[in-house]
């Protein structure tokens, strides 16, 4: 298994494609890549139609997948608000690939049998598949798609992101083998000699203490440890320093623990969701998630410092869990709200990944929503960096 990733920031798309394809051919060596992943910035909007024909002619990949992007990531660089393309190519011996394009009309009902999803995707759960998902946010019901994939393939890893760059329907592009599509979702199924590990960094730090939901209704939290949650929040706020108090006023979230058996959940153990509103009359809090009684929760805040600490923690946890594993390649699906806007410096998440994981080919893009697991469930996130790390199932370092 061999992966390479390159990026080009030439102003003209044709020049960028020529530069990037030449670099891929040079770095990958003889033969066509089994897999080619391409992301193209919104500055090349009017020339998206050139992408597939050029890549097929230049590299003739076995499988081609990609989409439009608000910014691109590759070769150790993150290009934002500037023309750019990134190509990530892989030789994948012993790996089978199946690329499926789905529209909302293709999605089976969630109240039916998982068999319908298996038939739609064309792969059996027993084949130990992994999934890369790219979807257009204007035309694809991504949450239903992810729920269906979890329904049929509960043990499989799913990572990906929503295409970005467009401000209205029809403006994004999905690149699939010989086609350029304007709606729906692409699902790449990988089976055989490949393992995909997921790392999800949601960019928050916990404040206050853990609490338990004692009364809720849908997305409205009525009681936290038997008390009005707004009262708990006020007490938490009073114990914070000035900087965290400011964040609690402007960037407040609720973290939902995904493993009730973990006594002291930390970074990576919470599903982070927006606080939608506070009702001072009733003391209730509305959250962008369905709550359930007995659930462990904790308030969180987000800024660049918290995001950097969270990313470092989840990357470190991966390295501690798999100290002898060396991924051969990786994809990064990062929120448009991260990057320089969040950190005040370029290439932050790519450099953090290299420091903790090593010299691994990393490509990706800035998304309109990021796909990755928390616990055993796959979610659509915001302000998140979701990594997919690829290695041979056989353990070979070839």
């Amino acid at each position: 298994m061999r992966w390479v990733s390159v990026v080009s920031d030439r102003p003209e798309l044709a020049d960028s494609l020529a530069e990037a394809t030449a670099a891929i051919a040079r770095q990958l060596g003889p033969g066509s890549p089994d897999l080619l992943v391409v992301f193209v910035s919104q500055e090349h909007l009017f020339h998206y139609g050139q992408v597939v024909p050029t890549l097929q002619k230049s590299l003739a990949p076995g499988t081609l997948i990609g989409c439009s992007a608000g910014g691109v990531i590759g070769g150790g660089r993150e290009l934002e608000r500037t023309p750019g393309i990134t190509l990530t190519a892989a030789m994948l011996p012993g790996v089978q690939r199946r690329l499926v394009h789905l529209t909302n009309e293709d999605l089976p009902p969630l109240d039916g049998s998982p068999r319908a999803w298996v038939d739609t995707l064309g792969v059996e759960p027993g084949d130990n598949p992994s999934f890369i998902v790219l979807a257009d946010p204007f035309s694809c019901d991504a949450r239903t798609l992810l729920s269906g994939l979890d329904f049929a393939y509960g043990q499989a890893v799913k990572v990906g992101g929503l295409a970005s760059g467009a401000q209205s329907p029809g403006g994004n592009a999905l690149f699939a083998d010989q086609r350029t599509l304007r709606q729906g979702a692409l699902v790449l199924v990988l089976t055989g000699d490949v393992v995909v590990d997921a790392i999800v960094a949601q960019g928050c730090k916990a404040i206050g203490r853990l609490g338990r939901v004692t009364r809720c209704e849908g997305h409205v939290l009525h009681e936290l440890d038997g008390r009005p949650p707004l009262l708990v929040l006020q007490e938490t706020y009073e114990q914070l320093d000035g900087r965290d108090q400011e964040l609690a006023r402007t960037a407040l979230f609720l973290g939902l623990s995904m493993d009730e058996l973990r006594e002291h959940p930390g970074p990576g153990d919470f599903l982070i969701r927006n606080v939608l509103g506070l009702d001072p009359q009733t003391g209730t809090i509305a959250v962008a998630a369905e709550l359930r009684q007995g659930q462990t929760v904790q308030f969180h805040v987000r800024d660049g410092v918290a995001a950097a600490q969270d990313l470092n923690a989840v990357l470190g946890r991966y390295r501690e869990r798999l100290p002898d594993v060396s991924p051969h390649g990786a994809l990064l699906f990062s929120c448009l709200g991260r990057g320089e806007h969040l950190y005040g410096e370029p290439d932050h998440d790519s450099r953090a990944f290299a420091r903790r994981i090593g010299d691994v080919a990393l490509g990706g893009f800035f998304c309109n929503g990021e796909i990755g697991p928390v616990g055993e469930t796959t979610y659509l996130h915001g302000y998140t960096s979701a990594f997919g790390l690829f290695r041979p199932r056989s353990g070979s370092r070839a």
Side-chain angles (χ1 to χ4, degrees):
M1 181 180 287
R2 177 166 169 75
W3 290 73
V4 298
S5 178
V6 302
V7 69
S8 174
D9 59 1
R10 303 287 289 274
E12 298 298 325
L13 179 60
D15 294 336
S16 268
L17 287 169
E19 182 177 69
T21 54
I24 288 289
R26 182 173 62 252
Q27 295 181 31
L28 199 62
S32 297
D34 295 312
L35 174 64
L36 183 64
V37 184
V38 55
F39 299 113
V40 182
S41 74
Q42 63 189 15
E43 285 76 13
H44 297 305
L45 166 67
F46 298 110
H47 304 287
Y48 286 156
Q50 297 179 17
V51 174
V52 169
T54 301
L55 294 178
Q56 288 292 353
K57 181 178 180 180
S58 300
L59 296 173
T63 299
L64 169 66
I65 184 174
C67 67
S68 58
V72 301
I73 300 167
R77 300 173 62 195
E78 301 176 5
L79 302 183
E80 306 173 63
R81 297 179 295 279
T82 187
I85 71 166
T86 181
L87 299 180
T88 303
M91 294 293 197
L92 301 172
V95 178
Q96 293 76 50
R97 309 166 310 278
R98 178 175 175 81
L99 183 59
V100 182
H101 175 239
L102 298 173
T103 65
N104 287 342
E105 291 71 26
D106 298 320
L107 303 182
L110 293 174
D111 58 358
S113 166
R115 186 71 227 174
W117 288 88
V118 172
D119 291 342
T120 298
L121 273 298
V123 62
E124 295 293 329
D127 292 334
N128 296 317
S130 301
F131 298 87
I132 300 171
V133 181
L134 302 177
D136 171 48
F138 295 106
S139 61
C140 175
D141 184 353
R143 287 183 173 84
T144 295
L145 172 58
L146 298 179
S147 295
L149 292 177
D150 278 355
F151 183 38
Y153 307 95
Q155 303 302 311
V157 170
K158 303 99 182 168
V159 294
L162 303 188
S164 57
Q167 303 301 315
S168 59
N172 287 318
L174 299 173
F175 307 117
D177 286 338
Q178 305 287 343
R179 300 179 293 169
T180 300
L181 305 161
R182 294 290 182 168
Q183 63 175 342
L186 299 177
V187 181
L188 176 60
V189 189
L190 300 175
T191 57
D193 190 19
V194 62
V195 173
V196 181
D197 302 316
I199 300 174
V200 177
Q202 298 176 81
C204 284
K205 70 173 181 179
I207 57 172
R209 296 182 299 178
L210 292 170
R212 192 169 297 278
V213 175
T214 48
R215 189 162 68 91
C216 60
E217 184 178 358
H219 66 280
V220 178
L221 178 57
H222 289 280
E223 288 184 1
L224 191 57
D225 291 327
R227 307 169 65 208
L230 186 52
L231 178 59
V232 176
L233 177 59
Q234 289 171 338
E235 293 175 350
T236 299
Y237 178 86
E238 291 169 358
Q239 297 172 3
L240 301 176
D241 62 26
R243 175 56 179 160
D244 283 348
Q245 284 186 343
E246 180 183 349
L247 293 176
R249 292 193 297 269
T250 60
L252 179 66
F253 304 85
L254 189 69
L256 316 178
S257 176
M258 293 290 101
D259 184 357
E260 294 297 336
L261 297 179
R262 187 179 292 274
E263 186 175 355
H264 301 291
D269 296 325
F270 290 96
L271 173 66
I272 304 299
R273 286 297 182 251
N274 291 332
V275 171
L276 301 177
L278 312 172
D279 188 339
Q281 300 299 319
T282 62
T284 59
I285 295 178
V287 183
E290 289 291 318
L291 302 169
R292 57 178 175 78
Q293 190 166 323
Q295 194 166 28
T296 300
V297 300
Q298 190 168 10
F299 291 110
H300 284 67
V301 293
R302 175 185 284 134
D303 70 349
V305 173
Q309 292 172 343
D310 173 65
L311 176 60
N312 190 59
V314 295
L315 290 172
R317 178 179 288 189
Y318 174 81
R319 180 48 69 209
E320 291 170 4
R321 181 171 62 89
L322 298 170
D324 299 323
V325 164
S326 297
H328 289 232
L331 294 174
L332 167 55
F333 306 95
S334 190
C335 179
L336 286 164
R338 291 176 73 103
E340 288 190 67
H341 174 78
L342 181 63
Y343 298 110
E345 62 181 76
D347 311 330
H348 180 278
D349 286 7
S350 294
R351 288 189 286 107
F353 179 86
R355 284 195 304 270
R356 297 309 297 261
I357 306 301
D359 184 17
V360 177
L362 174 69
F365 77 109
F366 289 96
C367 315
N368 230 339
E370 304 77 56
I371 294 166
V374 180
E376 297 181 354
T377 304
T378 308
Y379 294 96
L380 183 62
H381 304 274
Y383 294 97
T384 292
S385 277
F387 298 82
L389 295 81
F390 303 82
R391 54 190 172 92
R393 186 176 299 276
S394 63
S396 168
R397 296 181 180 272

